[in-house]
Amino acid sequence: MYNHYVVWFLPLNRGEAVEVIKRAYEIAREHARKAGGRLEPIQPKHIYGGEADKFGYTLQVGRITVTLPPASTLVIWGFYNADEYLDFIRFIHDGRVYEWFVEPIAYYPERIGVWLEEPLIFRNTLYIDVHTTSTEGRDRVYGWPLGYFIAPLQPPQEVKTPRKPKSGQSKRGKGEQT
């Protein structure tokens, strides 16, 4: 079963919005410090991987599977929406569903909404469901999550299990005298 969380937005022109963005940045910076990594704004390559050029800064209608590189983190604090038909986004991660009703953001002058709570933090694999009210056969909407991507500067070391010596071999190896 999934736990559902409904997210409501605050327009960017409200004072609390600046505090939300500052808090999200500090959280992202702390994750970057702990991972020994770099922090950058979310880009199409972080969502789509090798298919980033196909969609750019738009979201594919339907379900998007986002597989983050090892030890990477996505911190999302808000949403940009320039599509009057974009209805809602669902982020599904570790048994939790975060529903963002984004339609009103298209009517804000800056078209940006900031989530009132703590930023969403994702690792490993997440799913993004994108829903539109358009009756046209569209493959994308003009909206984009706002936040930060944190990646380690060096990929994590692969953990190797110790190999057992072959039967009849000493731990010192072949041909060594004891």
Side-chain angles (χ1 to χ4, degrees), residues 7-10 14 16 20 23 77 114-118:
V7 179
W8 296 102
F9 286 99
L10 181 68
R14 300 262 307 265
E16 301 98 322
V20 169
R23 187 169 58 242
W77 55 261
V114 176
W115 183 31
L116 287 173
E117 304 296 324
E118 290 292 315

Side-chain angles (χ1 to χ4, degrees), residues 84-103:
E84 65 182 311
Y85 297 107
L86 176 55
D87 187 23
F88 65 86
I89 304 289
R90 266 188 207 116
F91 293 95
I92 303 166
H93 183 257
D94 288 343
R96 293 185 186 103
V97 176
Y98 302 93
E99 286 191 295
W100 291 16
F101 294 92
V102 298
E103 189 175 66

Side-chain angles (χ1 to χ4, degrees), residues 150-169:
I150 298 100
L153 294 177
Q154 303 212 354
Q157 296 284 331
E158 183 180 331
V159 178
K160 295 181 181 180
T161 55
R163 294 175 43 182
K164 293 182 181 178
K166 293 180 183 176
S167 61
Q169 259 187 329

Side-chain angles (χ1 to χ4, degrees), residues 65-147:
T65 301
V66 180
T67 304
L68 298 172
S72 296
T73 307
L74 210 56
V75 177
I76 300 176
W77 55 261
F79 202 83
Y80 170 77
N81 182 17
D83 193 317
E84 65 182 311
Y85 297 107
L86 176 55
D87 187 23
F88 65 86
I89 304 289
R90 266 188 207 116
F91 293 95
I92 303 166
H93 183 257
D94 288 343
R96 293 185 186 103
V97 176
Y98 302 93
E99 286 191 295
W100 291 16
F101 294 92
V102 298
E103 189 175 66
I105 298 172
Y107 304 110
Y108 297 167
E110 59 279 296
R111 297 182 177 183
I112 294 175
V114 176
W115 183 31
L116 287 173
E117 304 296 324
E118 290 292 315
L120 298 179
I121 299 171
F122 301 118
R123 292 180 187 84
N124 304 321
T125 301
L126 71 128
Y127 304 97
I128 304 173
D129 287 345
V130 180
H131 185 266
T132 180
T133 59
S134 175
T135 56
E136 302 170 14
R138 298 172 61 191
D139 69 339
R140 69 190 70 202
V141 294
Y142 298 96
W144 193 253
L146 301 172

